[in-house]
Amino acid sequence: QQQVKQSPQSLIVQKGGISIINCAYENTAFDYFPWYQQFPGKGPALLIAIRPDVSEKKEGRFTISFNKSAKQFSLHIMDSQPGDSATYFCAASMGGSSNTGKLIFGQGTTLQVKP
Amino acid sequence: KAGVTQTPRYLIKTRGQQVTLSCSPISGHRSVSWYQQTPGQGLQFLFEYFSETQRNKGNFPGRFSGRQFSNSRSEMNVSTLELGDSALYLCASRLQETQYFGPGTRLLVL
């Protein structure tokens, strides 16, 4: 019940295309859902995050879509660029001060954007 | 503001040894979480410290321990190292719900 399942494991997209990564969760106590981007040799960096009371959040070329009833959320990268080539992780955490520091991560998606 | 710093960046140890990793959070952040990243298991939560107290713990054996100092700097220790402990160990400092990760310490156990 603590798991977050992420798909696909890898993704190849042409420059200018849309990259879509999906995540699903079981635990309805999760109330914070961030996406992280990680380049080789670096730590994960926060990309965008959403709470379950919002169905969509957009920041630049990155959009999170959230479906609370289906317990699914997805990351859309519009106009994908070669510089977006990285590993993307979805994550979730539960509410309450004692839980906020514990992120449960998906397995990761390696995105390659071809020029 | 300086980001999260971790030392050392790379470490090679042999089975049975112990290791201590250090993390300095972003100034003003009082919460530090530790994660282990491996190709097989992905990113797994180890523990979180807030104001020198362990607030949450992941599903790791007791060989993995940590502590936090009054200046919010944190250390994690792994005793009796096993080959399977080879991983990237990531530290994150937190402000509200946002966690900011350091570059990690890559540990290789031979």
Side-chain angles (χ1 to χ4, degrees):
Chain A
Q1 228 196 1
Q2 285 280 329
Q3 284 185 320
V4 176
K5 295 184 178 178
Q6 183 172 345
S7 63
Q9 188 174 353
S10 62
L11 184 60
I12 300 174
V13 172
Q14 291 295 128
K15 179 182 174 182
I18 303 173
S19 303
I20 302 173
I21 304 170
N22 301 298
C23 284
Y25 65 97
E26 287 295 324
N27 191 341
T28 55
F30 287 146
D31 75 345
Y32 174 69
F33 301 88
W35 283 90
Y36 280 84
Q37 178 189 57
Q38 186 177 28
F39 293 104
K42 305 285 187 182
L46 179 68
L47 209 51
I48 187 172
I50 199 167
R51 290 199 176 275
D53 53 346
V54 176
S55 62
E56 186 175 281
K57 183 175 181 180
K58 184 177 180 180
E59 289 184 3
R61 296 185 295 110
F62 301 94
T63 300
I64 298 179
S65 296
F66 191 89
N67 186 329
K68 188 174 180 179
S69 61
K71 291 185 281 187
Q72 294 175 348
F73 58 111
S74 60
L75 176 69
H76 292 62
I77 305 174
M78 312 300 287
D79 187 26
S80 299
Q81 299 297 313
D84 296 331
S85 297
T87 301
Y88 292 81
F89 294 93
C90 62
S93 68
M94 290 189 282
S97 58
S98 63
N99 292 315
T100 312
K102 178 180 180 180
L103 285 171
I104 307 298
F105 283 90
Q107 296 90 330
T109 296
T110 301
L111 171 65
Q112 182 184 358
V113 181
K114 290 194 167 183
Chain B
K1 267 188 182 177
V4 177
T5 58
Q6 293 188 244
T7 57
R9 292 294 311 278
Y10 304 93
L11 208 48
I12 300 176
K13 291 285 187 178
T14 56
R15 277 183 300 173
Q17 287 187 309
Q18 75 162 14
V19 67
T20 298
L21 313 181
S22 181
C23 170
S24 292
I26 294 171
S27 177
H29 291 193
R30 292 161 63 192
S31 164
V32 173
S33 295
W34 288 89
Y35 295 83
Q36 181 195 65
Q37 185 174 24
T38 60
Q41 298 299 317
L43 276 154
Q44 293 187 287
F45 172 80
L46 279 155
F47 29 65
E48 183 202 10
Y49 285 87
F50 182 86
S51 294
E52 302 178 65
T53 302
Q54 187 181 88
R55 196 150 67 171
N56 213 331
K57 191 177 190 308
N59 189 25
F60 279 82
R63 301 185 296 107
F64 292 81
S65 63
R67 59 177 177 168
Q68 187 180 33
F69 302 95
S70 58
N71 61 357
S72 294
R73 190 177 70 84
S74 177
E75 289 180 348
M76 69 162 281
N77 183 275
V78 188
S79 62
T80 321
L81 284 165
E82 300 176 1
L83 296 179
D85 296 333
S86 294
L88 180 67
Y89 289 90
L90 292 158
C91 160
S93 73
R94 181 169 62 83
L95 184 64
Q96 296 180 346
E97 68 269 353
T98 302
Q99 293 196 29
Y100 301 86
F101 284 83
T105 293
R106 186 162 296 281
L107 172 65
L108 177 62
V109 182
L110 300 175

